[in-house]
Every structure is written in structure tokens, then in C-alpha cells.
Amino acid sequence: MLTGKRILLVIGGGIAAYKSLELIRRLAQRGAKVRAIVTKAGTEFVTPLSVASLSGDKVYQDLFSLTDEADMGHIQLSRDADLLVVAPATADLMAKMASGRADDLASTALLATDKPVLIAPAMNVRMWLHAATQRNLAQLKADGVTTIGPNDGDMACGEFGPGRMAEPAEILASVEAHFSRSQELKGLHALVTAGPTHEPIDPVRYIANRSSGKQGYAIAGALADLGATTTLVSGPTNLAAPRGVKFVKVETAHQMLAACESALPADVAVCAAAVADWRVDHAANQKIKKGAGGLPALNLVENPDILATLSSRASGRPRLVVGFAAETEKVIEHAKAKRAKKGCDWIVANDVSPETGVMGGDDNTVHIISASTTDTWPKLAKGEVAHRLAAKIAAHLKGARA
Ligand code: C5P
């Protein structure tokens, strides 16, 4: 049942919009409270009156309508929901969402939200397969948006292929799965490290690495989506904090370790950060001058190993500690050795050779290695790796809790 769940349904301008009426009926039958925004193009396919009759609420249409804004502003509209569903998600709506445009009520509400978003794409097969739409889809997935469909089939335009919006029953099942899933880690605390660390040489120079933080941020977001109270301790990145996550920004490995320790106790720790192995012993207080006394010598000392430190805590060790192994050869063999050496429970191993494009890219092929098993997943978007890993963590912790 969806009793009391508040769903904001965005109806885009596609022939599949007629199916959204059936979706509203089914959601309401299950006890959900549906509020709808219909885009200008959407009103060409369904009338606001039929949407309002089924949802039992007024229909929101225009960003610049004074009465709409007085009733409920666009920010409030998107915040007042537990889940946003975009059905049909047209190519245009997807493009707006992927690029963060906000030029009407629907796109503005979608940009203003801090709630999970589920989209049901629907469009002509060529539009769906176009590189631009696929690029937008990859971006939306990386942003944590969930998609359902499109399905293969005959299309209203006479063509055949992927592009048909998922059926209302499938979208309903996805909505229900979202709400049942989102309880799995409720009451638990997840700690995630992500990004690189910067180790100062002097006030303006530092040692860094190429980690983007994408995978760790996606994992923190996925754990929060499953209801975990999540702390993300991040080195410097260009990424925005995922929705619903406590975000602690640090620079150095020492700061990262201190932030992790003060975030304890945690039920699970996922160390996805690319922590610098070394730091400069006694970084200079002033900028080192060129040419003064020849070339400066950098005296490097070892940084603390956060993963190993958390794994070996005598008291307050997280019940599950997950590390990462970025390897360029003998990936599984090296990762197994790393798991044993660090004392963590699982290692997520990936091949980061330059030809894989994993570092900074959007996809990842990983192996999840425990003391007794090696699970190899297909090449997936980093967002999808994160969701699968979060689900595996939830299943493990639930098993341990039972
Ligand atoms: O030893 P290596 O850097 O290959 O190990 C990678 C794993 O160890 C990752 O999970 C990384 O987050 C963690 N690590 C750490 N602190 C360090 C070095 C690595 O937590 N100083």
C-alpha cells in the first residue's frame, strides 16, 4: 500500500499522457496522495479537468500564475512530496532535467526538489536512440534519477522499437518498490569516504590525484535512498552533495580520518576515497620561492590508512567495512590480497587502466570480493553500481540483524 505517500506527478507532452490518468487512478487506489503538474504541451494530450477529477486536487500548470504561486509555490510543491514521478518524460523534459533548465513550472519543480525522482520516458524510437537523449539519460542516472522503461513496441507514430512509456501497472510497481526499498536501512548509520585528498606543499601548492568522487557520492546517495542516516566525508571535488546526506568536506588524509572517527559509531563504512598515500612532512608556512637555494626537496611521510584504521578498531568497528581497490593488472588477485592486508570485509575491485575510462568516467565494471566469494557485475553506470552495492549492503546487514 501507499497510504499517505505524497506523489508529485509531472505529466509531459506526449501521446502517452493518457496513460498517466490511469496511473493517477491506480496510485490513488493504493492510498497515495497525488498532486499533478501538467506541462503546457501536456495539456494538448490530457485536460487539466480530467487530471483534477482523478487526483482530487487542483492541477498546477503555470510558473507565472499568481494564483498557483499563492496557493503553493513551486519550491513548496516539490518539497511537499515524498517522490516525484515524471510520466511521460518526453525527450524535451529529459533534456531540461539533464541540463538543469527551469523555464516552466515542471522543470522548475524538478530542479528545486530534494526528493527522489522516477521518470518514465516516452518518445519516438529515433528520438530515444539519439545520442543526445542517451547522453541526457546517462546524466540523469548519474544524478540519481531512477528510470522505468521505455518498452519496445508499436508506437503511435507507426514505428516499432523502444520508446513506449511503461504501462501504469509497471510504474505503480516501481513506485511501490521505491517505498518498500527505502525502509531497508532505516535506523542504521552509513559512513562513506569519497574524492581525492589534497596534501599541502605550501599554502598554494598541493599533491593530489585524479579521483572525481563520482562513485563514492553515488554510493552515499544510494545508501541514503535506502533510509540510512548517511555521512559523506569528502575530499575536494566539483560535485554537489547528494540529497539527504550529511556532508563533511575535508582536504587532507588526516582531516578525513578525524572526520570519520568523529562520525562513528557507524553500522557500515564504505571507503571509496582515493586517499593520498603520502604527505609532505612539515608543509611550508609561506609560498616556497622559485630559485631560492636550488630545487626544493619534498620530504614525504606516510599518511594514515583510513580503511585499515576503521577495520582494525578494537571497539566501535563498523559491522561491515567496505574498501575499494583500483588496479591496472591482475585485478582480482591484487584485490584479494588488499582485502586481507587492510582487514576489511569486502573489497570492490575495478580495473582503472587508462583504456577503461573508469577514472572520471560514468561507467564502472566491478568485482565484489568477500572472504569467501567473488561477485563480478557487468559494466554499469556508476549510479547503478551504487544502487546495487547499497542493496547488497542492506541485504547483508539485514541478515546480520535477523
Ligand atoms: O592501498 P590502496 O590505496 O590501494 O587501497 C585502497 C583502499 O584503501 C580504498 O578503499 C581507499 O579508500 C582506502 N585507503 C584509505 N586510506 C589510505 C589509503 C587508502 O582509506 N591512506
Side-chain angles (χ1 to χ4, degrees), residues 307-308 310-312 317 321 338-345:
L307 176 62
L310 291 177
S311 299
S312 66
R317 180 192 192 275
V321 183
K338 190 162 291 180
R339 197 195 70 80
K341 186 168 145 229
K342 305 258 187 177
C344 57
D345 303 297

Side-chain angles (χ1 to χ4, degrees), residues 193 253 271-277 303-308 322-327 338 341-342:
T193 71
C271 294
V275 184
D277 290 315
N303 262 335
D305 191 310
I306 298 163
L307 176 62
V322 183
F324 273 72
E327 305 290 345
K338 190 162 291 180
K341 186 168 145 229
K342 305 258 187 177

Side-chain angles (χ1 to χ4, degrees), residues 208-295:
N209 63 64
R210 294 185 196 280
S211 167
S212 65
K214 281 183 189 168
Q215 187 64 82
Y217 277 54
I219 291 167
L223 290 165
D225 279 350
L226 294 193
T229 303
T230 305
T231 307
L232 170 62
V233 180
S234 172
T237 71
N238 292 322
L239 305 175
R243 184 186 56 232
V245 159
K246 179 171 181 223
F247 189 49
V248 184
K249 229 167 174 182
V250 297
E251 266 202 45
T252 67
H254 261 286
Q255 290 167 358
M256 187 173 273
L257 177 61
C260 286
E261 297 206 306
S262 60
L264 292 176
D267 298 279
V268 54
V270 180
C271 294
V275 184
D277 290 315
W278 311 285
R279 69 180 181 282
V280 176
D281 197 14
H282 301 301
N285 289 331
Q286 302 298 334
K287 185 178 172 192
I288 301 171
K289 288 285 174 213
K290 213 170 11 181
L295 293 175

Side-chain angles (χ1 to χ4, degrees), residues 88-137:
T90 58
D92 181 53
L93 254 176
M94 285 177 64
K96 280 186 183 170
M97 288 173 73
S99 59
R101 278 184 60 194
D103 60 359
D104 62 4
L105 180 59
S107 54
T108 307
L110 284 159
L111 191 64
T113 194
D114 58 353
K115 299 294 165 47
V117 180
L118 169 71
I119 64 169
M123 65 198 73
N124 167 273
V125 55
R126 308 258 162 249
M127 291 168 79
W128 173 252
L129 295 175
H130 194 284
T133 303
Q134 291 302 310
R135 226 171 20 243
N136 292 335
L137 176 68

